[in-house]
PDB file of all heavy atoms in Angstrom:
ATOM      1  N   LEU A   2     -28.861  25.506 -35.189  1.00 93.00           N
ATOM      2  CA  LEU A   2     -28.758  26.480 -36.268  1.00 93.00           C
ATOM      3  C   LEU A   2     -30.035  27.300 -36.259  1.00 93.00           C
ATOM      4  O   LEU A   2     -31.132  26.751 -36.229  1.00 93.00           O
ATOM      5  CB  LEU A   2     -28.586  25.770 -37.612  1.00 93.00           C
ATOM      6  CG  LEU A   2     -28.465  26.666 -38.838  1.00 93.00           C
ATOM      7  CD1 LEU A   2     -27.143  27.417 -38.814  1.00 93.00           C
ATOM      8  CD2 LEU A   2     -28.552  25.824 -40.101  1.00 93.00           C
ATOM      9  N   GLU A   3     -29.876  28.614 -36.270  1.00 95.00           N
ATOM     10  CA  GLU A   3     -31.041  29.482 -36.166  1.00 95.00           C
ATOM     11  C   GLU A   3     -30.936  30.631 -37.166  1.00 95.00           C
ATOM     12  O   GLU A   3     -29.851  31.169 -37.392  1.00 95.00           O
ATOM     13  CB  GLU A   3     -31.122  30.034 -34.744  1.00 95.00           C
ATOM     14  CG  GLU A   3     -32.345  30.848 -34.468  1.00 95.00           C
ATOM     15  CD  GLU A   3     -32.417  31.295 -33.021  1.00 95.00           C
ATOM     16  OE1 GLU A   3     -31.468  31.050 -32.242  1.00 95.00           O
ATOM     17  OE2 GLU A   3     -33.430  31.899 -32.667  1.00 95.00           O
ATOM     18  N   THR A  50     -27.094  30.570 -47.848  1.00 95.00           N
ATOM     19  CA  THR A  50     -27.092  31.629 -46.833  1.00 95.00           C
ATOM     20  C   THR A  50     -26.917  31.037 -45.440  1.00 95.00           C
ATOM     21  O   THR A  50     -26.137  31.555 -44.632  1.00 95.00           O
ATOM     22  CB  THR A  50     -28.392  32.455 -46.917  1.00 95.00           C
ATOM     23  OG1 THR A  50     -28.540  32.965 -48.242  1.00 95.00           O
ATOM     24  CG2 THR A  50     -28.361  33.613 -45.938  1.00 95.00           C
ATOM     25  N   LEU A  51     -27.610  29.946 -45.143  1.00 94.00           N
ATOM     26  CA  LEU A  51     -27.476  29.304 -43.833  1.00 94.00           C
ATOM     27  C   LEU A  51     -26.066  28.775 -43.605  1.00 94.00           C
ATOM     28  O   LEU A  51     -25.584  28.739 -42.469  1.00 94.00           O
ATOM     29  CB  LEU A  51     -28.490  28.161 -43.683  1.00 94.00           C
ATOM     30  CG  LEU A  51     -29.953  28.570 -43.582  1.00 94.00           C
ATOM     31  CD1 LEU A  51     -30.838  27.335 -43.577  1.00 94.00           C
ATOM     32  CD2 LEU A  51     -30.215  29.440 -42.365  1.00 94.00           C
ATOM     33  N   ALA A  52     -25.385  28.359 -44.676  1.00 92.00           N
ATOM     34  CA  ALA A  52     -24.026  27.826 -44.566  1.00 92.00           C
ATOM     35  C   ALA A  52     -22.964  28.920 -44.657  1.00 92.00           C
ATOM     36  O   ALA A  52     -21.772  28.625 -44.677  1.00 92.00           O
ATOM     37  CB  ALA A  52     -23.797  26.786 -45.658  1.00 92.00           C
ATOM     38  N   ALA A  53     -23.375  30.182 -44.722  1.00 91.00           N
ATOM     39  CA  ALA A  53     -22.479  31.340 -44.803  1.00 91.00           C
ATOM     40  C   ALA A  53     -21.653  31.336 -46.087  1.00 91.00           C
ATOM     41  O   ALA A  53     -20.566  31.893 -46.138  1.00 91.00           O
ATOM     42  CB  ALA A  53     -21.583  31.437 -43.579  1.00 91.00           C
ATOM     43  N   LEU A  54     -22.172  30.694 -47.129  1.00 90.00           N
ATOM     44  CA  LEU A  54     -21.533  30.760 -48.437  1.00 90.00           C
ATOM     45  C   LEU A  54     -22.013  31.988 -49.197  1.00 90.00           C
ATOM     46  O   LEU A  54     -21.436  32.352 -50.215  1.00 90.00           O
ATOM     47  CB  LEU A  54     -21.843  29.490 -49.248  1.00 90.00           C
ATOM     48  CG  LEU A  54     -21.400  28.176 -48.612  1.00 90.00           C
ATOM     49  CD1 LEU A  54     -21.906  26.995 -49.426  1.00 90.00           C
ATOM     50  CD2 LEU A  54     -19.886  28.141 -48.483  1.00 90.00           C
ATOM     51  N   PRO A  57     -26.628  37.139 -46.201  1.00 95.00           N
ATOM     52  CA  PRO A  57     -28.055  37.478 -46.221  1.00 95.00           C
ATOM     53  C   PRO A  57     -28.234  38.945 -46.606  1.00 95.00           C
ATOM     54  O   PRO A  57     -27.354  39.769 -46.346  1.00 95.00           O
ATOM     55  CB  PRO A  57     -28.509  37.226 -44.784  1.00 95.00           C
ATOM     56  CG  PRO A  57     -27.279  37.348 -43.963  1.00 95.00           C
ATOM     57  CD  PRO A  57     -26.132  36.933 -44.836  1.00 95.00           C
ATOM     58  N   SER A  61     -30.071  37.576 -39.579  1.00 95.00           N
ATOM     59  CA  SER A  61     -28.883  36.930 -39.025  1.00 95.00           C
ATOM     60  C   SER A  61     -29.043  35.420 -38.989  1.00 95.00           C
ATOM     61  O   SER A  61     -30.142  34.899 -38.837  1.00 95.00           O
ATOM     62  CB  SER A  61     -28.648  37.411 -37.594  1.00 95.00           C
ATOM     63  OG  SER A  61     -28.506  38.805 -37.565  1.00 95.00           O
ATOM     64  N   VAL A  62     -27.892  34.735 -39.094  1.00 96.00           N
ATOM     65  CA  VAL A  62     -27.820  33.283 -38.945  1.00 96.00           C
ATOM     66  C   VAL A  62     -26.899  32.997 -37.766  1.00 96.00           C
ATOM     67  O   VAL A  62     -25.827  33.597 -37.653  1.00 96.00           O
ATOM     68  CB  VAL A  62     -27.270  32.605 -40.228  1.00 96.00           C
ATOM     69  CG1 VAL A  62     -27.137  31.108 -40.030  1.00 96.00           C
ATOM     70  CG2 VAL A  62     -28.160  32.922 -41.425  1.00 96.00           C
ATOM     71  N   TYR A  63     -27.324  32.098 -36.896  1.00 96.00           N
ATOM     72  CA  TYR A  63     -26.555  31.756 -35.692  1.00 96.00           C
ATOM     73  C   TYR A  63     -26.280  30.260 -35.658  1.00 96.00           C
ATOM     74  O   TYR A  63     -27.126  29.459 -36.033  1.00 96.00           O
ATOM     75  CB  TYR A  63     -27.342  32.105 -34.427  1.00 96.00           C
ATOM     76  CG  TYR A  63     -27.572  33.576 -34.235  1.00 96.00           C
ATOM     77  CD1 TYR A  63     -28.597  34.237 -34.890  1.00 96.00           C
ATOM     78  CD2 TYR A  63     -26.746  34.298 -33.382  1.00 96.00           C
ATOM     79  CE1 TYR A  63     -28.805  35.592 -34.712  1.00 96.00           C
ATOM     80  CE2 TYR A  63     -26.947  35.668 -33.194  1.00 96.00           C
ATOM     81  CZ  TYR A  63     -27.981  36.295 -33.864  1.00 96.00           C
ATOM     82  OH  TYR A  63     -28.172  37.639 -33.690  1.00 96.00           O
ATOM     83  N   ILE A  64     -25.093  29.917 -35.172  1.00 92.00           N
ATOM     84  CA  ILE A  64     -24.790  28.546 -34.768  1.00 92.00           C
ATOM     85  C   ILE A  64     -24.597  28.630 -33.270  1.00 92.00           C
ATOM     86  O   ILE A  64     -23.690  29.309 -32.792  1.00 92.00           O
ATOM     87  CB  ILE A  64     -23.543  27.978 -35.456  1.00 92.00           C
ATOM     88  CG1 ILE A  64     -23.780  27.828 -36.952  1.00 92.00           C
ATOM     89  CG2 ILE A  64     -23.178  26.634 -34.841  1.00 92.00           C
ATOM     90  CD1 ILE A  64     -22.602  27.256 -37.712  1.00 92.00           C
ATOM     91  N   LYS A  66     -25.200  30.252 -29.951  1.00 89.00           N
ATOM     92  CA  LYS A  66     -25.544  31.633 -29.569  1.00 89.00           C
ATOM     93  C   LYS A  66     -24.747  32.672 -30.362  1.00 89.00           C
ATOM     94  O   LYS A  66     -24.929  33.866 -30.195  1.00 89.00           O
ATOM     95  CB  LYS A  66     -25.268  31.848 -28.081  1.00 89.00           C
ATOM     96  CG  LYS A  66     -25.994  30.873 -27.183  1.00 89.00           C
ATOM     97  CD  LYS A  66     -27.366  31.385 -26.856  1.00 89.00           C
ATOM     98  CE  LYS A  66     -28.006  30.461 -25.833  1.00 89.00           C
ATOM     99  NZ  LYS A  66     -29.394  30.279 -26.025  1.00 89.00           N
ATOM    100  N   GLU A  67     -23.835  32.214 -31.228  1.00 91.00           N
ATOM    101  CA  GLU A  67     -22.923  33.118 -31.914  1.00 91.00           C
ATOM    102  C   GLU A  67     -23.308  33.316 -33.381  1.00 91.00           C
ATOM    103  O   GLU A  67     -23.599  32.341 -34.088  1.00 91.00           O
ATOM    104  CB  GLU A  67     -21.502  32.551 -31.840  1.00 91.00           C
ATOM    105  CG  GLU A  67     -20.451  33.470 -32.363  1.00 91.00           C
ATOM    106  CD  GLU A  67     -19.054  32.914 -32.162  1.00 91.00           C
ATOM    107  OE1 GLU A  67     -18.902  31.774 -31.733  1.00 91.00           O
ATOM    108  OE2 GLU A  67     -18.108  33.647 -32.460  1.00 91.00           O
ATOM    109  N   PRO A  68     -23.303  34.554 -33.867  1.00 93.00           N
ATOM    110  CA  PRO A  68     -23.567  34.788 -35.283  1.00 93.00           C
ATOM    111  C   PRO A  68     -22.544  34.048 -36.148  1.00 93.00           C
ATOM    112  O   PRO A  68     -21.352  34.050 -35.849  1.00 93.00           O
ATOM    113  CB  PRO A  68     -23.413  36.300 -35.447  1.00 93.00           C
ATOM    114  CG  PRO A  68     -23.629  36.858 -34.078  1.00 93.00           C
ATOM    115  CD  PRO A  68     -23.099  35.810 -33.142  1.00 93.00           C
ATOM    116  N   ILE A  69     -23.014  33.418 -37.211  1.00 93.00           N
ATOM    117  CA  ILE A  69     -22.151  32.578 -38.037  1.00 93.00           C
ATOM    118  C   ILE A  69     -21.020  33.371 -38.678  1.00 93.00           C
ATOM    119  O   ILE A  69     -19.919  32.857 -38.852  1.00 93.00           O
ATOM    120  CB  ILE A  69     -22.986  31.801 -39.084  1.00 93.00           C
ATOM    121  CG1 ILE A  69     -22.182  30.648 -39.660  1.00 93.00           C
ATOM    122  CG2 ILE A  69     -23.513  32.729 -40.158  1.00 93.00           C
ATOM    123  CD1 ILE A  69     -23.002  29.676 -40.475  1.00 93.00           C
ATOM    124  N   HIS A  70     -21.253  34.633 -39.010  1.00 89.00           N
ATOM    125  CA  HIS A  70     -20.210  35.423 -39.664  1.00 89.00           C
ATOM    126  C   HIS A  70     -19.054  35.771 -38.727  1.00 89.00           C
ATOM    127  O   HIS A  70     -17.993  36.172 -39.176  1.00 89.00           O
ATOM    128  CB  HIS A  70     -20.799  36.697 -40.288  1.00 89.00           C
ATOM    129  CG  HIS A  70     -21.231  37.714 -39.293  1.00 89.00           C
ATOM    130  ND1 HIS A  70     -22.478  37.687 -38.713  1.00 89.00           N
ATOM    131  CD2 HIS A  70     -20.579  38.776 -38.767  1.00 89.00           C
ATOM    132  CE1 HIS A  70     -22.568  38.701 -37.867  1.00 89.00           C
ATOM    133  NE2 HIS A  70     -21.447  39.378 -37.883  1.00 89.00           N
ATOM    134  N   ARG A  71     -19.242  35.605 -37.434  1.00 90.00           N
ATOM    135  CA  ARG A  71     -18.161  35.860 -36.467  1.00 90.00           C
ATOM    136  C   ARG A  71     -17.280  34.635 -36.254  1.00 90.00           C
ATOM    137  O   ARG A  71     -16.249  34.725 -35.603  1.00 90.00           O
ATOM    138  CB  ARG A  71     -18.733  36.299 -35.122  1.00 90.00           C
ATOM    139  CG  ARG A  71     -19.280  37.694 -35.156  1.00 90.00           C
ATOM    140  CD  ARG A  71     -19.542  38.188 -33.768  1.00 90.00           C
ATOM    141  NE  ARG A  71     -20.253  39.458 -33.810  1.00 90.00           N
ATOM    142  CZ  ARG A  71     -21.014  39.906 -32.857  1.00 90.00           C
ATOM    143  NH1 ARG A  71     -21.183  39.174 -31.755  1.00 90.00           N
ATOM    144  NH2 ARG A  71     -21.618  41.057 -32.969  1.00 90.00           N
ATOM    145  N   GLN A  72     -17.700  33.501 -36.758  1.00 91.00           N
ATOM    146  CA  GLN A  72     -16.923  32.274 -36.588  1.00 91.00           C
ATOM    147  C   GLN A  72     -15.894  32.144 -37.709  1.00 91.00           C
ATOM    148  O   GLN A  72     -16.139  32.544 -38.847  1.00 91.00           O
ATOM    149  CB  GLN A  72     -17.840  31.058 -36.583  1.00 91.00           C
ATOM    150  CG  GLN A  72     -18.770  31.031 -35.401  1.00 91.00           C
ATOM    151  CD  GLN A  72     -19.587  29.756 -35.339  1.00 91.00           C
ATOM    152  OE1 GLN A  72     -19.642  28.999 -36.294  1.00 91.00           O
ATOM    153  NE2 GLN A  72     -20.222  29.529 -34.221  1.00 91.00           N
ATOM    154  N   SER A  73     -14.773  31.547 -37.375  1.00 91.00           N
ATOM    155  CA  SER A  73     -13.750  31.301 -38.387  1.00 91.00           C
ATOM    156  C   SER A  73     -14.223  30.186 -39.323  1.00 91.00           C
ATOM    157  O   SER A  73     -15.162  29.447 -39.004  1.00 91.00           O
ATOM    158  CB  SER A  73     -12.433  30.884 -37.723  1.00 91.00           C
ATOM    159  OG  SER A  73     -12.556  29.578 -37.176  1.00 91.00           O
ATOM    160  N   GLN A  76     -14.042  26.878 -37.493  1.00 90.00           N
ATOM    161  CA  GLN A  76     -15.162  26.664 -36.567  1.00 90.00           C
ATOM    162  C   GLN A  76     -16.419  26.256 -37.325  1.00 90.00           C
ATOM    163  O   GLN A  76     -17.128  25.346 -36.918  1.00 90.00           O
ATOM    164  CB  GLN A  76     -15.442  27.930 -35.761  1.00 90.00           C
ATOM    165  CG  GLN A  76     -14.421  28.248 -34.708  1.00 90.00           C
ATOM    166  CD  GLN A  76     -14.710  29.583 -34.045  1.00 90.00           C
ATOM    167  OE1 GLN A  76     -14.881  30.600 -34.730  1.00 90.00           O
ATOM    168  NE2 GLN A  76     -14.746  29.579 -32.725  1.00 90.00           N
ATOM    169  N   ARG A  77     -16.704  26.942 -38.426  1.00 89.00           N
ATOM    170  CA  ARG A  77     -17.894  26.597 -39.229  1.00 89.00           C
ATOM    171  C   ARG A  77     -17.803  25.180 -39.754  1.00 89.00           C
ATOM    172  O   ARG A  77     -18.768  24.426 -39.707  1.00 89.00           O
ATOM    173  CB  ARG A  77     -18.035  27.551 -40.406  1.00 89.00           C
ATOM    174  CG  ARG A  77     -18.500  28.908 -40.032  1.00 89.00           C
ATOM    175  CD  ARG A  77     -18.711  29.718 -41.293  1.00 89.00           C
ATOM    176  NE  ARG A  77     -18.354  31.100 -41.043  1.00 89.00           N
ATOM    177  CZ  ARG A  77     -18.086  31.972 -41.969  1.00 89.00           C
ATOM    178  NH1 ARG A  77     -18.124  31.643 -43.236  1.00 89.00           N
ATOM    179  NH2 ARG A  77     -17.785  33.207 -41.650  1.00 89.00           N
ATOM    180  N   LEU A  81     -20.777  22.408 -39.353  1.00 86.00           N
ATOM    181  CA  LEU A  81     -21.755  22.549 -40.418  1.00 86.00           C
ATOM    182  C   LEU A  81     -21.185  22.023 -41.734  1.00 86.00           C
ATOM    183  O   LEU A  81     -20.012  22.248 -42.026  1.00 86.00           O
ATOM    184  CB  LEU A  81     -22.083  24.041 -40.562  1.00 86.00           C
ATOM    185  CG  LEU A  81     -23.046  24.506 -41.620  1.00 86.00           C
ATOM    186  CD1 LEU A  81     -24.450  24.017 -41.298  1.00 86.00           C
ATOM    187  CD2 LEU A  81     -23.031  26.023 -41.690  1.00 86.00           C
TER     188      LEU A  81
END
Side-chain angles (χ1 to χ4, degrees):
L2 180 69
E3 185 176 5
T50 304
L51 291 174
L54 301 173
S61 302
V62 177
Y63 294 82
I64 294 181
K66 304 273 186 217
E67 187 175 7
I69 197 168
H70 71 274
R71 287 193 188 155
Q72 295 185 347
S73 71
Q76 288 175 308
R77 286 185 215 161
L81 178 68

